Amino acid sequence: MKDTEKKPKRLHSDIVRDSINTFGTNVIGSLLSIISAFFVLGVLDPAVKGQYNQVQLVGNGLFTLFGFSINAAMIYFVSRYKIKNTKKAIAKLTVAMSALILAAGAVAVLFMKEIFFSGSTAFYCWAAVVYGLFSFLMNVCLAILRGENKFKMFNTINLLQKVLLTAFMFSMLVWPSAMLLVTSMIGIQVLMILFALYGIKRWNGKEPDPAPEDDHSVQTGAMFRYSLKSHVSNVMTYINSYLGSYIVNAVYSLSTFGIYNAAVTMMQQVWLLPDAVSQVIMSRIAAMHEKDDKVRLTLMSCKVVTYITIVCAVLLVLVAQVFVPIVFPKYVEAIAPLRYLIIGSIFICYAKVLANSIAAYGKPELNILPTIIGIIVNLSLSFVLIPPMGVNGIALATSASLTAQGFTSMVIFCLFTHTPFYRLLIPNGEEIRSVKQIFKK
């Protein structure tokens, strides 16, 4: 009897610990970015930053579109069936998707350069392809670490990447070159992939065994079918989140793109906690078998994350309003789009947590509808708002679409789990006591 009572407490403790550690890592990484920006953005021309951001944007697009979200499938299958039963399928899919990313990138560079690489030289075009490939490989490694609940190694890699990139950012004070930033970014990716592979192979103690009913080899087809279900919603989420950035990149100058991207980057800082919690709970929920436990963990995570995010969003706008004109005068125009973007950054927190929860149930296809609605709202409002508002219209359209996506995710989760809608908004006594206990510790 004692053993059965200890398991939920231990699980709860592990989730809280890993969430706090992941959140702390994200916060430190964000602070490093702010510190480097404090010294660098003051001397870095927006066009140079725009060139760097263009490589990131196109590279991430290649990885997102042609990686087929197998990293999401890996988290789910490694959590349930463990690495011993999934490593063959992971290896086959990784090789196949890597080849596809390279092929798609080559097509983009050779035949669609003016669309995706406006104003760029051949170096930056091919650098975006390489960046996309290494982003994919790194995310495969991080997905395996998450599936194995190796969050200490997962957080160490993320933090080390931020530290190294910040160190190279300071070189901009001497040589403000987009080429140096891009090459250092890719080099750091290679180092982190090697470090992650070491973490995957290394075990502290006995390797965990899957449940008896899950102790069998996972077929490549099964993992790929799950990834396809996840891929539709993941691609649409990416498109919905970055559609505005692609429009600005295509329509406006690199300088304007660099300024708009600064607003997007500031807005994304309020996602530190939602990202941390969603990263931790997916592997835990996938390994759970009791529906009530899954719902309880999801509900409490959503509410805690959203309440804190609202406070952080308000503070971010106030701080940006005061300090950006003083510290980063070249980027003062980023404040206006930030005001519009910040509204959508709140409700999308629900989508971030709920999408990972639903995927952990083995139903990633349920995340498709919220993203479709988000894209429809984004495109419709973009056509209406860009002529009178310009870049601010793009930001407002993005914000409205993120809000629509978050709200629809809430409705779908409630219907799927038969949970009253108010429980996603209002904490009950048990949740309040649990949070108080966490802070007492």
Side-chain angles (χ1 to χ4, degrees):
M1 182 71 180
K2 289 183 179 179
D3 290 338
T4 59
E5 290 178 351
K6 287 181 180 178
K7 286 181 181 178
K9 292 182 180 179
R10 174 60 188 274
L11 177 63
H12 177 75
S13 175
D14 288 346
I15 293 170
V16 172
R17 180 201 65 209
D18 289 338
S19 295
I20 291 175
N21 289 341
T22 304
F23 172 63
T25 300
N26 292 347
V27 169
I28 294 172
S30 178
L31 289 175
L32 287 173
S33 298
I34 292 171
I35 291 171
S36 63
F38 181 85
F39 289 98
V40 175
L41 288 186
V43 299
L44 196 63
D45 189 81
V48 175
K49 184 177 182 299
Q51 185 75 80
Y52 169 69
N53 293 143
Q54 188 182 71
V55 171
Q56 289 180 309
L57 184 69
V58 177
N60 284 329
L62 288 170
F63 148 56
T64 302
L65 291 173
F66 300 102
F68 280 93
S69 300
I70 64 169
N71 53 324
M74 289 173 187
I75 297 171
Y76 176 75
F77 280 93
V78 171
S79 298
R80 282 195 60 180
Y81 302 96
K82 308 308 175 190
I83 191 66
K84 71 173 186 176
N85 291 321
T86 55
K87 57 186 177 182
K88 289 184 179 179
I90 289 173
K92 291 179 181 178
L93 288 173
T94 300
V95 172
M97 296 307 106
S98 296
L100 183 59
I101 289 171
L102 287 175
V107 170
V109 172
L110 296 174
F111 301 105
M112 295 179 284
K113 182 179 181 298
E114 293 305 317
I115 298 175
F116 296 107
F117 302 100
S118 177
S120 290
T121 61
F123 169 81
Y124 294 106
C125 297
W126 291 108
V129 177
V130 174
Y131 177 78
L133 173 64
F134 288 143
S135 294
F136 167 72
L137 294 175
M138 184 172 173
N139 274 272
V140 165
C141 294
L142 293 178
I144 296 171
L145 291 175
R146 284 174 59 186
E148 294 178 322
N149 290 322
K150 292 183 177 180
F151 280 94
K152 184 176 181 180
M153 179 63 72
F154 172 82
N155 291 326
T156 300
I157 291 169
N158 282 327
L159 182 58
L160 183 58
Q161 183 182 30
K162 284 285 187 181
V163 170
L164 292 174
L165 191 55
T166 299
F168 275 99
M169 285 291 286
F170 278 99
S171 66
M172 295 298 100
L173 295 173
V174 179
W175 184 22
S177 165
M179 182 178 292
L180 177 60
L181 272 179
V182 169
T183 52
S184 62
M185 176 175 63
I186 293 174
I188 291 169
Q189 281 183 318
V190 175
L191 289 176
M192 294 304 99
I193 290 169
L194 295 174
F195 192 19
L197 289 172
Y198 165 75
I200 291 169
K201 292 180 176 296
R202 182 174 178 269
W203 274 101
N204 292 326
K206 185 179 179 297
E207 184 175 341
D209 293 319
E213 64 269 24
D214 295 330
D215 194 6
H216 58 83
S217 180
V218 173
Q219 298 300 311
T220 305
M223 188 176 288
F224 187 62
R225 284 192 295 272
Y226 180 99
S227 72
L228 284 178
K229 295 177 183 178
S230 300
H231 189 54
V232 177
S233 61
N234 287 343
V235 168
M236 289 184 177
T237 296
Y238 175 83
I239 292 172
N240 192 35
S241 299
Y242 292 98
L243 179 63
S245 296
Y246 277 102
I247 293 174
V248 175
N249 181 44
V251 177
Y252 297 91
S253 66
L254 278 175
S255 295
T256 302
F257 176 63
I259 290 171
Y260 180 80
N261 190 266
V264 173
T265 301
M266 283 189 283
M267 179 267 291
Q268 289 175 339
Q269 302 315 303
V270 302
W271 294 348
L272 295 176
L273 182 60
D275 285 340
V277 172
S278 63
Q279 286 167 352
V280 171
I281 67 170
M282 182 177 176
S283 58
R284 267 33 185 255
I285 292 176
M288 290 178 176
H289 292 87
E290 293 295 328
K291 177 184 174 183
D292 289 344
D293 293 337
K294 296 180 180 182
V295 173
R296 192 179 301 113
L297 174 58
T298 303
L299 291 175
M300 189 168 75
S301 299
C302 278
K303 280 173 277 197
V304 171
V305 161
T306 303
Y307 299 157
I308 296 176
T309 300
I310 291 172
V311 175
C312 293
V314 174
L315 290 175
L316 175 65
V317 174
L318 293 176
V319 170
Q321 185 74 40
V322 174
F323 288 101
V324 169
I326 299 171
V327 182
F328 313 121
K330 293 182 180 180
Y331 294 86
V332 69
E333 293 179 16
I335 296 176
L338 173 64
R339 294 193 195 111
Y340 294 106
L341 288 168
I342 206 67
I343 301 170
S345 71
I346 295 173
F347 263 91
I348 197 64
C349 292
Y350 276 103
K352 285 178 173 289
V353 177
L354 294 176
N356 278 277
S357 175
I358 290 171
Y361 277 86
K363 295 290 184 180
E365 64 271 20
L366 294 179
N367 293 319
I368 295 174
L369 181 59
T371 55
I372 290 176
I373 291 177
I375 290 175
I376 292 173
V377 171
N378 205 339
L379 285 172
S380 302
L381 289 181
S382 292
F383 282 114
V384 174
L385 297 175
I386 290 176
M389 298 179 64
V391 172
N392 290 337
I394 296 173
L396 180 56
T398 299
S399 185
S401 68
L402 295 177
T403 300
Q405 182 179 339
F407 184 80
T408 310
S409 294
M410 296 166 70
V411 173
I412 288 176
F413 176 81
C414 290
L415 293 174
F416 176 66
T417 60
H418 305 289
T419 302
F421 189 82
Y422 74 88
R423 290 195 62 194
L424 280 169
L425 303 172
I426 304 171
N428 58 27
E430 179 187 354
E431 291 166 343
I432 293 173
R433 287 190 295 271
S434 297
V435 173
K436 284 182 178 179
Q437 189 175 16
I438 292 171
F439 281 102
K440 282 181 181 178
K441 291 181 180 180

